[in-house]
Amino acid sequence: MPKFAANLSMLFTEYPFMARFAAAKKAGFDGVEYLFPYDFSAQEIAQELEKHQLTQVLFNLPAGDWGQGERGIACLPERVEEFRSGVEQAIVYAKALGCRKVNCLAGKKPEGLSDEQANTTLINNLTYAANRLTEHDIELVIEAINTRDIPGFFVNNSKQAVELIKQVGRSNLRYQYDIYHMQIMEGDLAKTIERYFQFIGHLQLADNPGRHEPGTGEINYPFLFKFIDAQGYDGWIGCEYVPANGTEAGLGWMNK
């Protein structure tokens, strides 16, 4: 059975953020991830991780003004310096938290920006980030996100993500495969995971429709977990879903 990490941006939201670490441990999780740590001091988060013996699995590079709807800046030519500053900030946090993996959100491509410009900018930014992160033994992952939830998101399918990885050509750049997003965009989950398995550095889950916990939708997770095991995956799967009726009440799928 895979190792599951609680995504604290979406699970245990019944509690203040800093109390979610204890709640995750109590519920049986040994690893945590979340969107961003930057609103809190690294030392404060590190204390919670140590106190509850939790592994910090993943967080995202700074992604622009999230509250104003930005979902990443890595494909935006006019934000390159901001992106690079964000990489440096992420390194400070990752080292303090013992985190060996960070995710890059490409962002939404604005009108007037060509696919070629966005792609070139993204490749250059990924190359910079991968080079800086490898100096600290940190892996970079790039995520594909569905365009129903986030219209205009530039990286939105597995083939595109893998082509970017190939073009950048850095051994510490891999693919964050989100089962929920890719069920919406391309389906054929097992075969797609098998096809691109060598590029996958992290997995995330939610069921579809609704983005709730496994067992609430159409995805056959018992089969998929066995399939992922059979591929030899030994990493974490981030539980990035919206609980249907409270976090603890919906954890029966994991207990099974």
Side-chain angles (χ1 to χ4, degrees):
M1 181 61 66
K3 299 180 295 184
F4 298 112
N7 188 298
L8 300 185
S9 297
M10 301 182 77
L11 302 187
F12 305 103
T13 57
E14 304 91 333
Y15 306 98
F17 180 76
M18 295 305 297
R20 296 175 196 173
F21 295 86
K25 185 65 176 183
K26 184 178 179 181
F29 290 98
D30 292 319
V32 296
E33 60 177 44
Y34 36 71
L35 294 179
F36 310 105
Y38 312 112
D39 287 341
F40 303 88
S41 74
Q43 292 71 25
E44 188 178 9
I45 297 174
Q47 288 173 2
E48 289 299 306
L49 293 170
E50 183 177 3
K51 180 179 178 181
H52 302 292
Q53 297 184 308
L54 289 165
T55 298
Q56 179 66 57
V57 174
L58 176 86
F59 59 82
N60 294 325
L61 295 176
D65 192 336
W66 196 264
Q68 293 299 312
E70 291 189 324
R71 294 296 181 264
I73 58 173
C75 73
L76 306 179
E78 72 278 11
R79 308 284 287 276
V80 170
E81 290 306 313
E82 181 183 349
F83 176 86
R84 292 187 173 192
S85 295
V87 171
E88 302 309 312
Q89 185 180 20
I91 289 171
V92 171
Y93 271 82
K95 291 174 68 176
L97 303 178
C99 184
R100 303 287 298 279
K101 201 182 304 283
V102 296
N103 180 44
C104 177
L105 295 170
K108 298 182 284 188
K109 186 176 75 69
E111 292 184 14
L113 181 66
S114 70
D115 286 353
E116 182 179 6
Q117 287 176 300
N119 200 65
T120 297
T121 302
L122 181 54
I123 289 171
N124 290 339
N125 278 333
L126 289 172
T127 301
Y128 174 86
N131 287 342
R132 286 292 293 127
L133 290 166
T134 198
E135 296 174 18
H136 302 279
D137 196 25
I138 300 170
E139 189 172 88
L140 178 66
V141 290
I142 179 75
E143 181 178 13
I145 293 179
N146 83 78
T147 53
R148 185 173 71 194
D149 289 355
I150 306 181
F153 197 84
F154 186 59
V155 179
N156 52 60
N157 63 81
S158 295
K159 182 179 179 181
Q160 181 188 12
V162 169
E163 283 302 314
L164 284 165
I165 291 167
K166 291 178 178 178
Q167 290 177 71
V168 172
R170 298 297 186 275
S171 61
N172 68 323
L173 175 60
R174 304 186 74 192
Y175 178 28
Q176 177 170 298
Y177 184 89
D178 187 300
I179 295 166
Y180 163 76
H181 289 307
M182 292 304 96
Q183 170 69 356
I184 292 171
M185 293 302 294
E186 58 196 25
D188 202 20
L189 297 170
K191 283 298 182 182
T192 305
I193 290 170
E194 183 180 43
R195 182 180 307 120
Y196 296 120
F197 182 75
Q198 64 177 307
F199 298 98
I200 293 175
H202 188 60
L203 291 162
Q204 290 181 323
L205 63 77
D207 218 328
N208 182 63
R211 201 174 186 175
H212 300 312
E213 55 265 38
T216 60
E218 66 189 357
I219 301 174
N220 184 349
Y221 269 107
F223 165 83
L224 204 56
F225 291 148
K226 292 178 182 177
F227 184 85
I228 291 168
D229 275 344
Q231 305 310 300
Y233 183 71
D234 60 359
W236 295 85
I237 299 183
C239 300
E240 194 183 46
Y241 63 80
V242 179
N245 295 292
T247 304
E248 284 96 341
L251 289 176
W253 69 270
M254 191 174 71
N255 295 331
K256 292 179 182 178

